Amino acid sequence: MCGIVGYIGSRDVVSTIISMLFELQHRGQEAAGVSIVTKNGDIYSVVGRGLVSEALNYTNLYKLYKVEGTFGGIGHIRYATSGGYLDSQVQPIVVGEDRFKAAIVFNGTIANYIQLAKEFNIKVINGDTLVFAQVLYKLAKEFGNDFIEALKVLPNYVIGGYSIAVLTSEPRIVVAKDPRGFRPLSIAVTNEEFFASSETAALDVIGINNWKEILPGEIASYDGSSIELTRTSTPALVSPCIFEYVYFSRPDSIFNGVSIYIARVRMGEELAKNVPANGDVVIPIPDSGRGAAIGFSRESKIPLEEGIVVNKYIGRGFIAPPTYRELISKLKYGFIRSVIDGKKVILVDDSIVRGTTMRSIVNRLRVYGAKEVHVRVASPSFKYPCFMGIDIASRDELLAWRTMSLTDIAKVVEADSVGYNTLEGLLKSVGLPLVCHACFTGLYPFKSLSVDDLEKMFSREPL
Protein backbone atom coordinates (compact mmCIF):
# COMPACT_ATOMS: atom_id res chain seq x y z
CA MET A 1 0.00 0.00 0.00
CA CYS A 2 1.23 3.45 -1.01
CA GLY A 3 -0.39 6.68 -2.12
CA ILE A 4 0.00 8.34 -5.52
CA VAL A 5 -1.18 11.70 -6.88
CA GLY A 6 -0.87 13.71 -10.08
CA TYR A 7 -1.74 17.20 -11.30
CA ILE A 8 -1.66 19.30 -14.47
CA GLY A 9 -3.12 22.80 -14.52
CA SER A 10 -2.84 26.47 -13.68
CA ARG A 11 -2.53 26.09 -9.91
CA ASP A 12 0.84 25.96 -8.21
CA VAL A 13 1.80 22.41 -9.19
CA VAL A 14 4.08 21.58 -6.27
CA SER A 15 1.72 22.98 -3.62
CA THR A 16 -1.26 21.12 -5.10
CA ILE A 17 0.65 17.83 -5.11
CA ILE A 18 1.83 18.34 -1.53
CA SER A 19 -1.74 19.13 -0.42
CA MET A 20 -2.99 15.84 -1.82
CA LEU A 21 -0.06 13.89 -0.37
CA PHE A 22 -0.90 15.19 3.10
CA GLU A 23 -4.39 13.75 2.65
CA LEU A 24 -2.88 10.34 1.79
CA GLN A 25 -0.37 10.21 4.64
CA HIS A 26 -2.30 7.27 6.17
CA ARG A 27 -1.23 5.13 3.19
CA GLY A 28 2.49 5.30 4.02
CA GLN A 29 4.86 6.99 6.42
CA GLU A 30 8.35 5.92 5.41
CA ALA A 31 9.15 8.28 2.53
CA ALA A 32 7.67 10.75 0.07
CA GLY A 33 8.63 12.29 -3.26
CA VAL A 34 7.57 14.70 -6.00
CA SER A 35 8.50 14.96 -9.68
CA ILE A 36 7.56 17.84 -11.98
CA VAL A 37 7.92 18.33 -15.72
CA THR A 38 8.29 21.60 -17.60
CA LYS A 39 6.58 22.51 -20.84
CA ASN A 40 9.94 21.80 -22.50
CA GLY A 41 10.00 18.25 -21.13
CA ASP A 42 12.60 18.63 -18.38
CA ILE A 43 11.92 16.48 -15.30
CA TYR A 44 12.96 17.48 -11.77
CA SER A 45 12.51 15.39 -8.63
CA VAL A 46 12.81 15.66 -4.85
CA VAL A 47 12.52 12.64 -2.54
CA GLY A 48 13.13 12.08 1.15
CA ARG A 49 12.60 9.74 4.08
CA GLY A 50 9.88 10.19 6.66
CA LEU A 51 6.47 11.85 6.64
CA VAL A 52 5.49 14.40 4.03
CA SER A 53 6.30 17.25 6.41
CA GLU A 54 9.78 15.84 6.94
CA ALA A 55 10.65 14.54 3.48
CA LEU A 56 9.12 17.41 1.50
CA ASN A 57 9.57 20.52 3.60
CA TYR A 58 10.04 23.89 1.91
CA THR A 59 13.84 23.70 2.10
CA ASN A 60 13.87 20.38 0.26
CA LEU A 61 11.34 21.58 -2.29
CA TYR A 62 13.03 24.88 -3.03
CA LYS A 63 14.62 23.64 -6.25
CA LEU A 64 11.18 22.64 -7.56
CA TYR A 65 9.52 25.92 -6.61
CA LYS A 66 12.08 27.93 -8.54
CA VAL A 67 11.65 25.94 -11.78
CA GLU A 68 10.02 28.06 -14.48
CA GLY A 69 7.41 26.80 -16.91
CA THR A 70 6.17 23.88 -14.79
CA PHE A 71 3.57 21.85 -16.67
CA GLY A 72 2.52 19.21 -14.15
CA GLY A 73 3.73 16.71 -11.62
CA ILE A 74 3.22 13.51 -9.64
CA GLY A 75 3.80 12.54 -6.01
CA HIS A 76 4.18 9.44 -3.89
CA ILE A 77 3.78 8.27 -0.29
CA ARG A 78 5.91 5.23 0.51
CA TYR A 79 4.90 2.07 2.36
CA ALA A 80 7.53 -0.56 1.64
CA THR A 81 6.28 -4.01 0.68
CA SER A 82 9.57 -5.35 -0.69
CA GLY A 83 13.24 -4.48 -0.38
CA GLY A 84 13.18 -3.58 3.30
CA TYR A 85 12.41 -0.29 4.96
CA LEU A 86 15.53 1.82 5.30
CA ASP A 87 17.03 0.71 1.99
CA SER A 88 13.89 0.50 -0.16
CA GLN A 89 13.69 2.58 -3.32
CA VAL A 90 12.00 5.94 -2.78
CA GLN A 91 9.64 7.11 -5.52
CA PRO A 92 9.18 8.73 -8.01
CA ILE A 93 11.62 6.72 -10.09
CA VAL A 94 13.00 8.59 -13.10
CA VAL A 95 13.85 6.39 -16.08
CA GLY A 96 15.01 7.03 -19.62
CA GLU A 97 17.58 9.02 -21.51
CA ASP A 98 17.94 11.98 -23.86
CA ARG A 99 14.48 13.41 -24.64
CA PHE A 100 12.48 10.31 -23.72
CA LYS A 101 12.25 10.25 -19.95
CA ALA A 102 9.55 9.58 -17.40
CA ALA A 103 8.96 9.73 -13.66
CA ILE A 104 6.95 6.79 -12.33
CA VAL A 105 5.03 6.19 -9.10
CA PHE A 106 2.93 3.18 -8.24
CA ASN A 107 0.89 1.66 -5.45
CA GLY A 108 1.02 -2.12 -5.18
CA THR A 109 3.45 -5.02 -5.28
CA ILE A 110 4.97 -7.00 -8.14
CA ALA A 111 5.44 -10.54 -6.84
CA ASN A 112 7.48 -11.82 -9.80
CA TYR A 113 9.93 -8.92 -10.01
CA ILE A 114 12.95 -11.23 -9.69
CA GLN A 115 11.87 -13.17 -12.78
CA LEU A 116 11.08 -9.94 -14.64
CA ALA A 117 14.53 -8.60 -13.83
CA LYS A 118 16.10 -11.69 -15.37
CA GLU A 119 13.83 -11.59 -18.44
CA PHE A 120 14.47 -7.89 -19.13
CA ASN A 121 18.14 -7.90 -18.03
CA ILE A 122 17.59 -5.48 -15.15
CA LYS A 123 19.71 -5.32 -12.00
CA VAL A 124 17.66 -5.78 -8.82
CA ILE A 125 18.20 -2.99 -6.30
CA ASN A 126 16.17 -3.17 -3.10
CA GLY A 127 12.86 -4.63 -4.16
CA ASP A 128 10.36 -4.41 -6.97
CA THR A 129 10.13 -0.64 -7.57
CA LEU A 130 13.05 -0.05 -9.93
CA VAL A 131 12.45 -3.32 -11.77
CA PHE A 132 8.81 -2.40 -12.37
CA ALA A 133 9.73 1.07 -13.64
CA GLN A 134 12.43 -0.26 -15.95
CA VAL A 135 10.16 -2.98 -17.37
CA LEU A 136 7.52 -0.37 -18.19
CA TYR A 137 10.12 1.91 -19.79
CA LYS A 138 11.56 -0.89 -21.92
CA LEU A 139 8.08 -1.85 -23.09
CA ALA A 140 7.39 1.79 -23.99
CA LYS A 141 10.61 1.87 -26.04
CA GLU A 142 9.47 -1.23 -27.92
CA PHE A 143 6.25 0.60 -28.84
CA GLY A 144 8.00 3.67 -30.21
CA ASN A 145 8.25 5.59 -26.93
CA ASP A 146 4.58 5.08 -26.12
CA PHE A 147 3.68 4.48 -22.47
CA ILE A 148 0.00 4.00 -23.26
CA GLU A 149 0.74 1.01 -25.47
CA ALA A 150 3.21 -0.26 -22.86
CA LEU A 151 0.55 -0.12 -20.15
CA LYS A 152 -1.84 -2.04 -22.38
CA VAL A 153 0.49 -5.04 -22.46
CA LEU A 154 2.04 -4.67 -18.99
CA PRO A 155 -0.46 -7.07 -17.35
CA ASN A 156 0.85 -9.83 -19.61
CA TYR A 157 4.14 -9.68 -17.73
CA VAL A 158 3.45 -8.88 -14.09
CA ILE A 159 2.04 -10.97 -11.27
CA GLY A 160 0.75 -8.64 -8.58
CA GLY A 161 -1.24 -5.46 -8.29
CA TYR A 162 -0.67 -1.85 -9.22
CA SER A 163 -2.18 1.56 -9.68
CA ILE A 164 0.33 3.75 -11.46
CA ALA A 165 1.03 7.30 -12.63
CA VAL A 166 3.61 8.14 -15.29
CA LEU A 167 4.85 11.69 -15.89
CA THR A 168 6.47 11.83 -19.33
CA SER A 169 8.77 14.31 -21.03
CA GLU A 170 6.25 14.82 -23.89
CA PRO A 171 4.83 16.21 -21.47
CA ARG A 172 1.75 14.33 -20.23
CA ILE A 173 0.48 12.25 -17.33
CA VAL A 174 -0.68 8.68 -17.88
CA VAL A 175 -2.43 6.76 -15.09
CA ALA A 176 -3.61 3.17 -15.04
CA LYS A 177 -4.93 0.37 -12.89
CA ASP A 178 -4.18 -3.34 -13.25
CA PRO A 179 -7.03 -5.36 -14.82
CA ARG A 180 -8.00 -6.92 -11.49
CA GLY A 181 -8.40 -3.49 -9.89
CA PHE A 182 -6.66 -4.31 -6.62
CA ARG A 183 -5.89 -0.72 -5.54
CA PRO A 184 -7.97 2.49 -5.70
CA LEU A 185 -7.27 5.31 -8.16
CA SER A 186 -9.43 8.23 -9.24
CA ILE A 187 -9.09 11.15 -11.63
CA ALA A 188 -10.86 14.44 -12.33
CA VAL A 189 -10.71 16.75 -15.35
CA THR A 190 -12.14 20.23 -14.88
CA ASN A 191 -11.41 23.69 -16.33
CA GLU A 192 -8.31 22.44 -18.16
CA GLU A 193 -6.99 20.84 -14.99
CA PHE A 194 -6.21 17.19 -14.38
CA PHE A 195 -6.10 15.55 -10.95
CA ALA A 196 -5.25 11.99 -9.96
CA SER A 197 -5.28 10.46 -6.49
CA SER A 198 -5.21 7.05 -4.86
CA GLU A 199 -8.26 8.02 -2.84
CA THR A 200 -11.29 10.16 -3.55
CA ALA A 201 -11.02 11.82 -0.12
CA ALA A 202 -7.86 13.67 -1.16
CA LEU A 203 -9.74 15.16 -4.12
CA ASP A 204 -12.79 16.05 -2.02
CA VAL A 205 -10.68 17.90 0.53
CA ILE A 206 -9.16 20.22 -2.10
CA GLY A 207 -12.60 20.94 -3.54
CA ILE A 208 -12.66 18.51 -6.48
CA ASN A 209 -15.89 16.51 -6.35
CA ASN A 210 -16.49 15.57 -9.99
CA TRP A 211 -13.98 12.73 -9.83
CA LYS A 212 -14.21 9.41 -11.65
CA GLU A 213 -12.77 6.13 -10.43
CA ILE A 214 -10.38 4.50 -12.87
CA LEU A 215 -11.84 1.13 -13.82
CA PRO A 216 -9.86 -2.12 -13.59
CA GLY A 217 -7.59 -2.28 -16.64
CA GLU A 218 -8.35 1.32 -17.64
CA ILE A 219 -5.67 3.77 -18.82
CA ALA A 220 -6.14 7.55 -18.79
CA SER A 221 -3.81 10.02 -20.51
CA TYR A 222 -3.89 13.83 -20.24
CA ASP A 223 -1.67 16.19 -22.25
CA GLY A 224 -2.93 19.52 -20.95
CA SER A 225 -5.88 19.85 -23.31
CA SER A 226 -7.74 16.55 -23.67
CA ILE A 227 -8.26 13.28 -21.84
CA GLU A 228 -7.82 9.96 -23.61
CA LEU A 229 -9.28 6.80 -22.08
CA THR A 230 -8.40 3.30 -23.22
CA ARG A 231 -8.06 -0.18 -21.72
CA THR A 232 -5.77 -3.14 -21.61
CA SER A 233 -7.00 -6.16 -23.54
CA THR A 234 -5.60 -8.60 -20.99
CA PRO A 235 -8.46 -10.69 -19.54
CA ALA A 236 -8.66 -10.92 -15.77
CA LEU A 237 -11.25 -11.48 -13.07
CA VAL A 238 -11.95 -8.18 -11.31
CA SER A 239 -10.95 -8.56 -7.65
CA PRO A 240 -10.40 -5.33 -5.68
CA CYS A 241 -8.63 -5.70 -2.34
CA ILE A 242 -11.11 -6.17 0.50
CA PHE A 243 -8.55 -4.93 3.03
CA GLU A 244 -8.93 -1.44 1.56
CA TYR A 245 -12.42 -1.50 3.08
CA VAL A 246 -11.31 -3.08 6.33
CA TYR A 247 -8.29 -0.91 7.12
CA PHE A 248 -6.30 0.94 4.47
CA SER A 249 -8.61 3.57 3.01
CA ARG A 250 -9.89 6.68 4.75
CA PRO A 251 -13.50 6.39 5.96
CA ASP A 252 -14.48 9.38 3.79
CA SER A 253 -13.24 7.71 0.60
CA ILE A 254 -15.18 5.78 -2.05
CA PHE A 255 -13.80 2.63 -3.69
CA ASN A 256 -15.73 0.90 -6.47
CA GLY A 257 -18.72 3.08 -5.67
CA VAL A 258 -18.82 1.83 -2.06
CA SER A 259 -18.47 4.18 0.91
CA ILE A 260 -15.63 2.96 3.14
CA TYR A 261 -17.43 4.33 6.21
CA ILE A 262 -20.74 2.65 5.44
CA ALA A 263 -18.99 -0.65 4.71
CA ARG A 264 -17.22 -0.52 8.09
CA VAL A 265 -20.41 0.25 9.99
CA ARG A 266 -22.06 -2.71 8.28
CA MET A 267 -19.09 -4.89 9.29
CA GLY A 268 -19.80 -4.00 12.91
CA GLU A 269 -23.47 -4.83 12.53
CA GLU A 270 -22.66 -8.22 11.00
CA LEU A 271 -20.05 -8.81 13.70
CA ALA A 272 -22.61 -8.23 16.46
CA LYS A 273 -24.98 -10.71 14.79
CA ASN A 274 -22.34 -13.38 14.20
CA VAL A 275 -20.31 -13.20 17.44
CA PRO A 276 -22.23 -11.26 20.10
CA ALA A 277 -20.62 -10.46 23.43
CA ASN A 278 -21.94 -9.75 26.91
CA GLY A 279 -20.53 -6.39 27.89
CA ASP A 280 -21.22 -3.01 29.44
CA VAL A 281 -19.55 -0.83 26.87
CA VAL A 282 -18.28 -1.01 23.27
CA ILE A 283 -14.90 0.66 22.82
CA PRO A 284 -13.26 1.08 19.39
CA ILE A 285 -9.55 0.93 18.75
CA PRO A 286 -9.09 4.22 16.92
CA ASP A 287 -9.18 5.10 14.20
CA SER A 288 -9.88 2.23 11.80
CA GLY A 289 -11.95 0.28 14.35
CA ARG A 290 -14.40 3.13 14.95
CA GLY A 291 -16.84 2.43 12.10
CA ALA A 292 -17.19 -1.23 13.06
CA ALA A 293 -17.65 -0.30 16.72
CA ILE A 294 -20.48 2.06 15.77
CA GLY A 295 -22.18 -0.77 13.89
CA PHE A 296 -21.62 -3.24 16.72
CA SER A 297 -23.13 -0.81 19.22
CA ARG A 298 -26.15 -0.11 17.04
CA GLU A 299 -26.91 -3.78 16.47
CA SER A 300 -26.22 -4.95 20.04
CA LYS A 301 -27.78 -1.91 21.78
CA ILE A 302 -24.69 -1.76 24.01
CA PRO A 303 -23.48 1.85 24.45
CA LEU A 304 -20.45 3.08 22.55
CA GLU A 305 -17.77 5.03 24.41
CA GLU A 306 -14.45 6.52 23.32
CA GLY A 307 -12.37 4.85 25.99
CA ILE A 308 -9.13 4.95 24.00
CA VAL A 309 -7.46 8.12 22.75
CA VAL A 310 -4.99 7.93 19.87
CA ASN A 311 -1.82 9.99 19.62
CA LYS A 312 -2.11 11.46 16.12
CA TYR A 313 1.61 12.10 15.91
CA ILE A 314 2.76 8.49 16.25
CA GLY A 315 1.52 7.08 12.95
CA ARG A 316 -0.18 3.82 11.98
CA GLY A 317 1.27 0.74 13.65
CA PHE A 318 0.31 -1.73 10.90
CA ILE A 319 2.36 0.10 8.27
CA ALA A 320 5.28 0.94 10.56
CA PRO A 321 8.64 -0.83 10.11
CA PRO A 322 8.78 -4.06 12.17
CA THR A 323 11.32 -2.75 14.69
CA TYR A 324 8.98 0.11 15.64
CA ARG A 325 5.63 -1.71 15.84
CA GLU A 326 5.87 -2.79 19.49
CA LEU A 327 7.08 0.65 20.57
CA ILE A 328 4.25 2.33 18.66
CA SER A 329 1.67 0.03 20.25
CA LYS A 330 2.87 1.14 23.69
CA LEU A 331 3.05 4.87 22.99
CA LYS A 332 0.19 5.44 20.57
CA TYR A 333 -2.82 5.05 22.86
CA GLY A 334 -4.13 6.78 25.97
CA PHE A 335 -6.97 5.41 28.11
CA ILE A 336 -9.92 7.04 29.87
CA ARG A 337 -10.30 5.38 33.27
CA SER A 338 -13.86 6.58 33.88
CA VAL A 339 -15.05 4.73 30.77
CA ILE A 340 -13.12 1.53 31.53
CA ASP A 341 -12.97 1.03 35.30
CA GLY A 342 -15.22 -1.77 36.52
CA LYS A 343 -16.69 -2.45 33.06
CA LYS A 344 -16.98 -5.49 30.87
CA VAL A 345 -15.37 -4.07 27.74
CA ILE A 346 -16.15 -5.14 24.19
CA LEU A 347 -13.07 -4.03 22.28
CA VAL A 348 -13.66 -3.66 18.53
CA ASP A 349 -10.92 -3.46 15.91
CA ASP A 350 -10.68 -3.86 12.15
CA SER A 351 -8.31 -6.85 12.18
CA ILE A 352 -5.69 -8.80 14.08
CA VAL A 353 -2.64 -9.42 11.95
CA ARG A 354 0.43 -9.96 14.11
CA GLY A 355 -1.24 -9.46 17.52
CA THR A 356 1.34 -7.02 18.90
CA THR A 357 -0.97 -4.04 19.20
CA MET A 358 -3.98 -5.99 20.47
CA ARG A 359 -2.12 -7.63 23.33
CA SER A 360 -0.71 -4.29 24.45
CA ILE A 361 -4.14 -2.63 24.43
CA VAL A 362 -5.87 -5.49 26.28
CA ASN A 363 -3.22 -5.32 29.01
CA ARG A 364 -3.62 -1.57 29.34
CA LEU A 365 -7.40 -1.89 29.62
CA ARG A 366 -6.92 -4.23 32.58
CA VAL A 367 -4.51 -1.78 34.18
CA TYR A 368 -7.25 0.85 33.92
CA GLY A 369 -9.75 -1.37 35.70
CA ALA A 370 -11.57 -3.42 33.04
CA LYS A 371 -13.35 -6.42 34.64
CA GLU A 372 -13.37 -8.34 31.36
CA VAL A 373 -12.11 -7.66 27.84
CA HIS A 374 -13.88 -9.31 24.91
CA VAL A 375 -12.17 -8.67 21.58
CA ARG A 376 -14.35 -8.52 18.48
CA VAL A 377 -12.79 -8.21 15.02
CA ALA A 378 -14.59 -6.74 12.00
CA SER A 379 -12.86 -9.08 9.53
CA PRO A 380 -12.14 -12.82 9.46
CA SER A 381 -8.85 -14.16 10.78
CA PHE A 382 -5.87 -12.96 8.73
CA LYS A 383 -4.11 -16.20 7.77
CA TYR A 384 -2.28 -15.64 4.49
CA PRO A 385 0.25 -13.13 3.16
CA CYS A 386 -0.58 -10.56 0.49
CA PHE A 387 1.47 -10.18 -2.70
CA MET A 388 -0.50 -7.26 -4.12
CA GLY A 389 0.46 -4.41 -1.79
CA ILE A 390 0.57 -5.37 1.91
CA ASP A 391 3.82 -5.88 3.80
CA ILE A 392 3.34 -9.51 4.83
CA ALA A 393 5.46 -11.88 2.82
CA SER A 394 5.32 -14.93 5.09
CA ARG A 395 2.61 -16.85 6.92
CA ASP A 396 4.95 -17.12 9.92
CA GLU A 397 4.25 -13.44 10.72
CA LEU A 398 0.52 -14.03 11.10
CA LEU A 399 -1.01 -14.78 14.49
CA ALA A 400 -3.99 -16.71 13.09
CA TRP A 401 -1.69 -18.92 11.02
CA ARG A 402 0.54 -19.79 13.97
CA THR A 403 -2.33 -20.10 16.46
CA MET A 404 -5.40 -21.56 14.82
CA SER A 405 -7.99 -21.82 17.64
CA LEU A 406 -9.91 -18.87 19.07
CA THR A 407 -9.05 -20.02 22.58
CA ASP A 408 -5.34 -19.93 21.79
CA ILE A 409 -5.60 -16.53 20.11
CA ALA A 410 -7.43 -15.18 23.16
CA LYS A 411 -4.60 -16.46 25.35
CA VAL A 412 -1.98 -14.81 23.15
CA VAL A 413 -3.66 -11.39 23.26
CA GLU A 414 -4.67 -12.01 26.91
CA ALA A 415 -8.39 -11.35 26.33
CA ASP A 416 -11.35 -13.13 27.93
CA SER A 417 -12.64 -13.99 24.47
CA VAL A 418 -11.94 -13.29 20.80
CA GLY A 419 -14.50 -13.35 18.01
CA TYR A 420 -14.07 -12.72 14.28
CA ASN A 421 -16.53 -11.68 11.63
CA THR A 422 -17.39 -14.34 9.07
CA LEU A 423 -16.27 -14.03 5.47
CA GLU A 424 -19.94 -14.01 4.48
CA GLY A 425 -20.59 -11.14 6.89
CA LEU A 426 -17.67 -9.17 5.51
CA LEU A 427 -18.66 -9.72 1.89
CA LYS A 428 -22.23 -8.71 2.67
CA SER A 429 -20.95 -5.50 4.30
CA VAL A 430 -18.92 -4.47 1.24
CA GLY A 431 -21.60 -5.57 -1.20
CA LEU A 432 -19.49 -6.16 -4.30
CA PRO A 433 -19.95 -9.28 -6.45
CA LEU A 434 -16.21 -10.06 -6.55
CA VAL A 435 -13.31 -9.05 -4.30
CA CYS A 436 -9.87 -10.40 -3.43
CA HIS A 437 -10.01 -11.99 0.03
CA ALA A 438 -6.82 -14.06 -0.27
CA CYS A 439 -5.50 -12.74 3.06
CA PHE A 440 -8.40 -14.53 4.77
CA THR A 441 -8.88 -17.57 2.55
CA GLY A 442 -5.62 -18.22 0.70
CA LEU A 443 -7.51 -18.12 -2.62
CA TYR A 444 -5.37 -15.90 -4.84
CA PRO A 445 -6.73 -14.48 -8.11
CA PHE A 446 -3.72 -15.70 -10.11
CA LYS A 447 -4.37 -18.81 -12.14
CA SER A 448 -2.70 -21.94 -10.80
CA LEU A 449 -0.57 -20.06 -8.21
CA SER A 450 -0.82 -21.13 -4.57
CA VAL A 451 0.46 -19.36 -1.48
CA ASP A 452 3.52 -21.65 -1.57
CA ASP A 453 4.26 -20.65 -5.16
CA LEU A 454 3.88 -16.94 -4.42
CA GLU A 455 5.96 -17.03 -1.24
CA LYS A 456 8.81 -18.73 -3.09
CA MET A 457 8.54 -16.29 -5.97
CA PHE A 458 8.48 -13.19 -3.76
CA SER A 459 11.22 -14.21 -1.32
CA ARG A 460 13.73 -15.64 -3.78
CA GLU A 461 17.16 -14.00 -3.71
CA PRO A 462 18.08 -11.89 -6.76
CA LEU A 463 19.75 -13.89 -9.52
Side-chain angles (χ1 to χ4, degrees):
M1 182 186 76
C2 298
I4 65 175
V5 301
Y7 175 71
I8 291 174
S10 58
R11 306 185 188 196
D12 183 285
V13 172
V14 176
S15 296
T16 302
I17 290 171
I18 295 299
S19 297
M20 288 191 286
L21 288 179
F22 271 117
E23 299 302 324
L24 297 179
Q25 186 71 84
H26 61 287
R27 297 189 68 85
Q29 53 200 37
E30 296 158 30
V34 174
S35 288
I36 61 172
V37 65
T38 67
K39 295 174 183 177
N40 295 325
D42 298 316
I43 295 176
Y44 301 86
S45 298
V46 170
V47 299
R49 303 283 178 180
L51 304 176
V52 174
S53 57
E54 300 163 333
L56 302 175
N57 56 56
Y58 184 82
T59 301
N60 294 343
L61 291 172
Y62 177 72
K63 81 171 190 177
L64 298 187
Y65 278 115
K66 70 179 184 179
V67 171
E68 297 182 358
T70 300
F71 174 78
I74 57 176
H76 186 263
I77 296 289
R78 177 70 171 163
Y79 160 65
T81 58
S82 69
Y85 290 85
L86 296 178
D87 57 354
S88 60
Q89 186 70 55
V90 180
Q91 300 180 41
I93 299 292
V94 178
V95 294
E97 55 191 5
D98 300 326
R99 299 306 299 175
F100 180 56
K101 292 184 179 180
I104 297 172
V105 294
F106 87 100
N107 169 28
T109 298
I110 309 305
N112 64 327
Y113 72 97
I114 299 296
Q115 293 89 327
L116 287 175
K118 183 177 181 181
E119 181 180 348
F120 284 84
N121 193 27
I122 299 168
K123 183 179 180 181
V124 177
I125 303 175
N126 302 327
D128 63 347
T129 303
L130 188 58
V131 172
F132 184 57
Q134 290 285 357
V135 166
L136 182 59
Y137 175 75
K138 289 193 173 193
L139 289 173
K141 291 284 286 184
E142 290 180 10
F143 285 98
N145 297 349
D146 193 328
F147 275 101
I148 296 174
E149 293 302 316
L151 285 163
K152 286 182 180 180
V153 302
L154 183 64
N156 296 329
Y157 296 89
V158 301
I159 298 172
Y162 61 86
S163 286
I164 188 170
V166 183
L167 181 71
T168 77
S169 55
E170 295 175 79
R172 72 168 62 234
I173 289 179
V174 185
V175 301
K177 186 185 290 189
D178 69 73
R180 292 182 175 85
F182 285 114
R183 300 290 156 207
L185 181 63
S186 294
I187 62 170
V189 181
T190 177
N191 298 324
E192 296 185 349
E193 289 184 302
F194 173 86
F195 300 83
S197 172
S198 286
E199 292 192 34
T200 60
L203 300 175
D204 289 334
V205 169
I206 63 171
I208 307 301
N209 53 26
N210 62 333
W211 42 260
K212 159 193 153 45
E213 291 190 72
I214 292 292
L215 300 174
E218 191 170 32
I219 303 163
S221 172
Y222 188 76
D223 61 2
S225 60
S226 62
I227 184 80
E228 176 186 346
L229 297 175
T230 186
R231 298 180 65 85
T232 177
S233 59
T234 304
L237 196 65
V238 174
S239 51
C241 172
I242 202 165
F243 212 63
E244 290 282 351
Y245 299 94
V246 172
Y247 173 81
F248 280 148
S249 291
R250 282 173 50 150
D252 51 341
S253 283
I254 304 292
F255 184 29
N256 295 299
V258 177
S259 163
I260 301 296
Y261 174 77
I262 292 175
R264 289 177 183 170
V265 172
R266 288 173 180 165
M267 290 175 204
E269 293 170 347
E270 291 298 314
L271 181 63
K273 295 174 186 176
N274 294 323
V275 278
N278 179 24
D280 303 312
V281 62
V282 176
I283 295 179
I285 296 182
D287 284 318
S288 54
R290 184 170 287 112
I294 291 171
F296 194 101
S297 175
R298 288 179 182 174
E299 180 65 29
S300 67
K301 305 299 189 293
I302 299 171
L304 174 74
E305 295 279 359
E306 295 283 359
I308 302 174
V309 180
V310 66
N311 183 337
K312 299 289 186 179
Y313 301 97
I314 293 292
R316 304 183 90 181
F318 181 95
I319 63 174
T323 54
Y324 293 101
R325 285 177 187 142
E326 187 169 355
L327 177 63
I328 286 175
S329 69
K330 291 178 180 178
L331 298 179
K332 183 175 181 178
Y333 300 105
F335 297 81
I336 302 173
R337 186 179 294 275
S338 61
V339 174
I340 301 165
D341 194 19
K343 305 286 181 59
K344 296 178 182 178
V345 173
I346 302 172
L347 183 65
V348 178
D349 202 7
D350 57 274
S351 60
I352 299 177
V353 180
R354 303 171 184 92
T356 304
T357 299
M358 184 61 71
R359 181 172 59 251
S360 174
I361 291 174
V362 170
N363 286 331
R364 295 287 298 280
L365 287 171
R366 297 196 190 280
V367 169
Y368 280 82
K371 288 174 60 178
E372 297 176 8
V373 181
H374 299 278
V375 174
R376 293 297 180 265
V377 185
S379 58
S381 55
F382 202 127
K383 294 182 179 179
Y384 298 91
C386 176
F387 305 94
M388 293 78 74
I390 304 176
D391 173 35
I392 298 171
S394 170
R395 283 166 283 181
D396 294 335
E397 296 182 42
L398 303 172
L399 177 61
W401 175 261
R402 303 192 314 267
T403 312
M404 299 303 289
S405 76
L406 291 178
T407 300
D408 288 341
I409 291 175
K411 288 180 181 178
V412 170
V413 301
E414 301 181 16
D416 291 278
S417 71
V418 171
Y420 290 92
N421 208 347
T422 63
L423 180 62
E424 292 74 18
L426 179 59
L427 296 176
K428 181 179 178 181
S429 302
V430 175
L432 294 174
L434 292 170
V435 294
C436 177
H437 44 68
C439 53
F440 305 127
T441 62
L443 300 175
Y444 295 88
F446 304 114
K447 187 176 181 181
S448 303
L449 289 178
S450 68
V451 62
D452 295 311
D453 298 326
L454 290 164
E455 277 189 342
K456 291 175 183 177
M457 180 185 298
F458 193 67
S459 62
R460 186 179 301 167
E461 289 298 319
L463 301 172

